[in-house]
Amino acid sequence: MDKEQQGLEEKISALNNTPDTTAEYDSQDIEKNKFMAILAYFGILVIIPILAAKESKFARFHANQGLILCIAAILYSVAYSILSSIILAISWRLAFVMSIVGILGLAFLIWFVIGIINAASGKAKELPLIGHYKLLKI
């Protein structure tokens, strides 16, 4: 493996090196509410754990992460649509620019998978880059 590839792997690894607060949560709460925690990452379904698992700190942690992810995805979609409209109004030949910008949407898929893996494995670990925000009281 060359140094450039090794450096890239270290950067990716550093991105996913987010705080893990699993030790702060009751193991019974984690086992009982894993499904609710997983459900929190499915877009608008984040409302279900917010309303149905109010007493579970673990489910609320993941509901917070899922809510942040949902809001970020909506904001990205709106910004992408506006930018797309502007660029296409300038010239249809610039459509490739929107394809490049669209690749950023893969970040949401990656965060979705990371969140589900963390919830299913009983970890309370923040999502990279966006997970440190707190919208819900835990």
Side-chain angles (χ1 to χ4, degrees):
M1 185 178 336
D2 62 351
K3 289 183 180 182
E4 191 173 303
Q5 186 178 5
Q6 202 171 26
L8 179 63
E9 286 182 11
E10 288 175 6
K11 287 179 184 176
I12 291 171
S13 184
L15 269 178
N16 198 27
N17 190 14
T18 58
D20 185 351
T21 57
T22 308
E24 297 176 15
Y25 299 91
D26 180 37
S27 60
Q28 289 179 334
D29 179 27
I30 291 172
E31 286 304 314
K32 182 180 173 190
N33 291 292
K34 274 186 184 179
F35 177 73
M36 286 293 182
I38 293 168
L39 196 60
Y41 292 97
F42 286 90
I44 195 69
L45 295 180
V46 70
I47 293 171
I48 295 170
I50 290 173
L51 298 176
K54 291 179 182 178
E55 73 289 341
S56 170
K57 287 180 67 179
F58 182 72
R60 289 197 60 83
F61 173 85
H62 284 286
N64 182 71
Q65 297 291 295
L67 184 60
I68 291 167
L69 182 59
C70 184
I71 291 170
I74 291 169
L75 291 175
Y76 170 79
S77 296
V78 169
Y80 181 82
S81 296
I82 293 169
L83 186 61
S84 178
S85 298
I86 292 170
I87 287 180
L88 292 176
I90 294 170
S91 173
W92 64 269
R93 292 183 183 119
L94 295 174
F96 73 92
V97 173
M98 292 317 302
S99 297
I100 295 168
V101 174
I103 292 173
L104 293 174
L106 288 176
F108 294 99
L109 176 64
I110 293 167
W111 283 325
F112 172 78
V113 170
I114 289 172
I116 289 175
I117 290 171
N118 285 341
S121 61
K123 291 183 183 176
K125 191 169 162 102
E126 294 178 355
L127 295 174
L129 301 175
I130 63 171
H132 60 279
Y133 297 103
K134 304 290 183 248
L135 300 177
L136 299 176
K137 190 174 184 180
I138 299 173

